[in-house]
Amino acid sequence: MPALNVEFTDRELEDLRQIAKERGTSMKALVREAAAADIARHRALQEGAEAFRRFFASHADEFAAAFPEDEPAAKGEGRAA
């Protein structure tokens, strides 16, 4: 299995030791669990953003009608340069 060396400050390392001890786990398991949780959170955010983009795109006309002031000005409209 691939591995990754991670550097911590002395304070961070001591905190990790203490947390691992309190949880009855190893430091390696603690760090791996934290990384895996962050990966899962990142994936969920990406999936949520993609679902929102699809929803918004499929309802673009409805949003435009409901919020006309948020629509970009058409070419030739707006302030003169």
Side-chain angles (χ1 to χ4, degrees):
M1 179 183 298
L4 173 69
N5 291 328
V6 180
E7 295 180 9
F8 296 98
T9 65
D10 290 340
R11 175 61 193 259
E12 291 168 336
L13 199 54
E14 185 53 39
D15 289 346
L16 284 171
R17 280 189 187 106
Q18 184 62 37
I19 294 167
K21 182 178 178 183
E22 290 172 7
R23 294 185 185 178
T25 191
S26 68
M27 289 175 44
K28 183 177 181 178
L30 181 69
V31 172
R32 188 176 187 302
E33 289 170 13
D38 196 52
I39 291 167
R41 185 173 36 257
H42 180 74
R43 286 178 181 158
L45 287 172
Q46 286 180 317
E47 290 170 7
E50 182 55 35
F52 174 79
R53 282 190 287 274
R54 284 192 310 269
F55 177 83
F56 189 82
S58 68
H59 294 82
D61 292 339
E62 296 165 64
F63 281 109
F67 306 103
E69 66 279 2
D70 292 336
E71 288 298 298
K75 289 184 179 181
E77 293 181 14
R79 287 190 263 164

